[in-house]
Amino acid sequence: MDSDDVEQIDEKYNIAPYICPLVSDNGIDMYMELITRRSSYFVYAFNTRFYLDLYQKGYDGVKDITNYIDIFAKKKVFIPIFMGEIHEQHLTLHMWSLVYVDFTHKFIKYYDSSGGQGMKCLKLIMNYLVQEVLEKRKRKKKLFNPNGWSLINVKDCPQQERHYDNSIFICMLTEYLSRDAPLDFSKEEIQKFCEQLEEEIGIEYLTKLVRVT
């Protein structure tokens, strides 16, 4: 999205340009990196290319990403899910949902701030985990067993009001879930979130700390 697009969005919604860095895929990637960096010993967040490559190319297209990362040693893994494009007012907006893998409680949850469901997506991620541990089992302390796991479409996910807010919601969902915070935010707080995200990307540091348990 270029500067002309930013101006069109600002005029339509009467919003300040500081929210624009997170409209792009790169903005989401930067924030996922900060979430991983904050709690790297138990949290890992994939970038925005991972799921699309997995969907289009299969496991072989993504297996090298984790050559130096043991995701099974983490407690939580987050995956931004590209859902397609929305064309609005001469703009092309990428739409996202989120998958949250919890190795402690054995569930994979799908969050969509526009109210959609993603069982096919959940099954694809489960299949990825099975293939991942088979491919790299020599370095795993124990095998991953999908028995007893739950695949869940989350129904009470905070909902966005505008398509343009989608990437902000995905970042906030990941940030809250990564530190076990209740999802008690709403669309009315979107401008506050934008300011927070811009600041944190600028200083390359997340301002909210994680309680170690």
Side-chain angles (χ1 to χ4, degrees), residues 90-200:
H90 307 295
L91 302 176
T92 299
L93 304 176
H94 285 184
M95 302 304 294
W96 301 93
S97 56
L98 179 72
V99 163
Y100 166 28
V101 181
D102 189 310
F103 286 102
T104 301
H105 300 99
K106 295 186 177 182
F107 62 68
I108 307 176
K109 291 185 176 182
Y110 180 85
Y111 293 83
D112 186 346
S113 60
S114 61
Q117 297 189 1
M119 188 53 66
K120 289 183 179 180
C121 172
L122 292 170
K123 290 179 179 178
L124 182 59
I125 297 302
M126 175 61 80
N127 186 58
Y128 162 77
L129 294 175
V130 172
Q131 291 181 284
E132 173 77 353
V133 78
L134 289 175
E135 175 74 16
K136 299 165 183 175
R137 60 186 175 184
K138 291 183 179 179
R139 69 179 188 180
K140 311 300 178 192
K141 294 181 180 179
K142 57 182 179 180
L143 293 179
F144 171 75
N145 186 349
N147 293 332
W149 277 66
S150 299
L151 306 182
I152 303 169
N153 280 303
V154 177
K155 297 180 180 180
D156 56 350
C157 173
Q159 298 295 291
Q160 68 195 51
E161 183 175 28
R162 308 171 302 190
H163 295 315
Y164 178 70
D165 297 333
N166 175 258
S167 62
I168 307 296
F169 268 74
I170 295 308
C171 289
M172 296 313 299
L173 283 169
T174 309
E175 197 280 320
Y176 273 59
L177 291 168
S178 68
R179 56 185 174 87
D180 292 323
L183 300 180
D184 55 3
F185 60 88
S186 67
K187 60 188 178 184
E188 285 75 20
E189 300 173 278
I190 192 67
Q191 186 160 324
K192 179 187 72 174
F193 295 155
C194 293
E195 294 172 339
Q196 174 187 329
L197 295 173
E198 184 199 24
E199 176 188 358
E200 291 175 333

Side-chain angles (χ1 to χ4, degrees), residues 25 52 82-88 91-96 163:
D25 302 357
L52 189 59
F82 177 67
M83 299 190 297
E85 297 178 341
I86 293 289
H87 300 279
E88 185 174 296
L91 302 176
T92 299
L93 304 176
H94 285 184
M95 302 304 294
W96 301 93
H163 295 315

Side-chain angles (χ1 to χ4, degrees), residues 11-30:
E11 290 174 1
K12 179 180 180 182
Y13 293 120
N14 191 28
I15 52 180
Y18 56 67
I19 74 172
C20 296
L22 283 180
V23 173
S24 69
D25 302 357
N26 288 338
I28 298 175
D29 287 343
M30 287 188 286

